[in-house]
Amino acid sequence: MNYSQLRSFHAVAREGSATAASRVLGISQPTITTQIKELELEFGIELFQRRGRGLELTLLGEELLLKTQLFFSAEDTISELLGSAGKLKHG
C-alpha cells in the first residue's frame, strides 16, 4: 500500500468515478484504475463493486473512505501548520 493508491481510492470514492477523480488529481484515468486494482490485489480485497460503467463502494470501501477522510484531513492540517510556521518571522 502506498500514498498514491490511497489518494486514488479516496478521489474515486468521493467523485464516484475514475474519470472524475482523474480530473481532480490531474493524472490519467488508467493510472488511477491501476493503482486501485494494485491495492485490491495486494490485500486480496474488493473496495468497489463494478456495475456496468459505474462503481459502488463495498462495505470495506466505505470503512476505508472514513479512514482516508481522517488521513487526508490530518494531512491538510499538518500542511497548514507548517505553512503558517514558515511565514513567521523570528526576532
Side-chain angles (χ1 to χ4, degrees):
M1 171 182 64
N2 65 44
Y3 179 84
S4 296
Q5 291 169 337
L6 288 178
R7 186 177 68 151
S8 289
F9 162 79
H10 186 75
V12 171
R14 286 185 56 197
E15 300 299 321
S17 74
T19 301
S22 72
R23 286 192 291 270
V24 169
L25 296 177
I27 58 177
S28 73
Q29 180 270 328
T31 298
I32 288 175
T33 301
T34 297
Q35 289 174 344
I36 293 171
K37 285 185 187 279
E38 288 173 352
L39 181 61
E40 290 176 323
L41 286 172
E42 180 178 346
F43 291 96
I45 57 168
E46 187 176 66
L47 297 170
F48 295 96
Q49 291 181 349
R50 285 125 180 115
R51 303 203 178 204
R53 301 188 86 180
L55 295 174
E56 184 177 310
L57 285 170
T58 62
L59 290 176
L60 178 60
E62 289 176 9
E63 287 183 46
L64 182 58
L65 177 59
L66 293 174
K67 303 297 184 195
T68 59
Q69 286 172 331
L70 293 172
F71 177 79
F72 290 111
S73 177
E75 181 185 44
D76 290 343
T77 301
I78 291 167
S79 182
E80 289 172 14
L81 171 69
L82 296 177
S84 297
K87 293 177 185 173
L88 294 177
K89 294 187 179 183
H90 300 282

